[in-house]
Amino acid sequence: MKTTYLLLLVGSLLSLASCKKFLDEKPDRSLVVPENVKDLQALLDNTNIFNADYPYALDIGADDYFLKTADWLARSASEKNGYIWEKDVFNDNPNNPWSISYVIVYNSNVVLDQLKKLGTSAGTQEGINNIKGQALFFRSFAFYNLLQVFAKPYSVDSAALQWGIALRLDADLNKPTTRATVKQSYDQLIADTKEASTLLPDFPALKTRPSKQAAFALLARTYLSMSDYENALLYADSALKLYNTLLDYNTLNPAATRPVPQFNAECIFHSVYVTTNTLNILAKVDSALFSSYDANDLRRSVFFKNNGDGTYSFKGSYDGSARSFNGFAIDEMYLTRAECFARAGNTSAAMNDLNALLVKRWKTGTFIPFTASDANQALAEILTERRKELLMRGIRWSDLRRLNKEPQFSKTLVRFEDNQIYYLYPNDPRYVFPIPLLIIQMTGIPQNDR
């Protein structure tokens, strides 16, 4: 089939059709070629595409939650099987983690291609730089998420030999789809994000738009997923040097349905992943995880709702709604920098960062700074708090994948459903999801082992 990118185009057009902000100005605006920076910014401001369609797969298989058997049995095949790490996932809906991610890639490429055609006629150099930086960021963020779902964790020894993702770098639908290596995929993502960081303003006009700080945050998250702790430290630190205000949880109302406001002071870049009932309504917080919060830790009441049956649900999304935030925030940068300090042997700096965060999370006057006798103890404490702080953000899956390489932090995941026990062992091939069968049939690209 010549147009192997067809499904992505269809999804893209459907998403564009839903963008009232863009279409209301002119009913057939989607058929008009963008002529300047303003038109291109209107495309990039379609939050239905660029801020709300990231893959839920980054939490569906992780260990922050569990499902009751009745709820699990009633789910779609993808949600049900993804939860127990089975093979048949993403084949019951064309809007799956692969296709929706490439809709973001496609639309980013539309903007980049048109920017090249327009040249200096598009607007001022500052405006052109900003548009290019935003498009590069969005494409890179989509690539990052695709790599966490559909490619093996980065390993220096094997990255050049393993299958990565399809690197679509322009909007030409007639080009065949091929898979780059893991190394090529990460190299492209990093190079584009670094370029974006030189083009974007320090801070955005809207938190749904990327900025220099957001690009630094994406680089920090990317390098952390690669276990490249030196570079993760560099970019987390760069992000925090631009802005480092933490939200004081003492100012929040834990009794509220959604205590954490959208676009709060910690938010660097706002996005959410695809809403599913499994993760946003039916998920019960892992019991051991809930029990790990101290009575004076405000996250215990800000993050969790008592269901009245001995279980708890998560209500602490930084979206301020039932949708799951997967963007970038200051707390993540503190925890990333703290972890990297610990791995570098800088125990004092690591604990300073951890305590700077936690003092904003505990009831005023109750927090006693954490201490560590050495860097190893600091690292263990930081990783514990990282899980407690960043749950249900699409981060845990990536953390599990990289930490499984370290025996002291590796973990076997267990599900109990319908009188059966399911296991996911460290470094299991099922930490990589299969590409949807329709994509395999259309493109002929190699499938992941499962």
Side-chain angles (χ1 to χ4, degrees), residues 308-320:
D309 60 357
T311 68
Y312 293 83
S313 299
F314 180 70
K315 65 173 185 175
S317 172
Y318 271 38
D319 185 58

Side-chain angles (χ1 to χ4, degrees), residues 43 62 229 322 326 360 372 396 403 416 430 439-440 442:
L43 286 172
Y229 298 110
N326 78 319
K360 300 292 187 179
R396 178 62 177 168
L403 293 173
F416 301 91
R430 292 174 296 167
I439 299 298
I440 298 296
M442 290 176 63

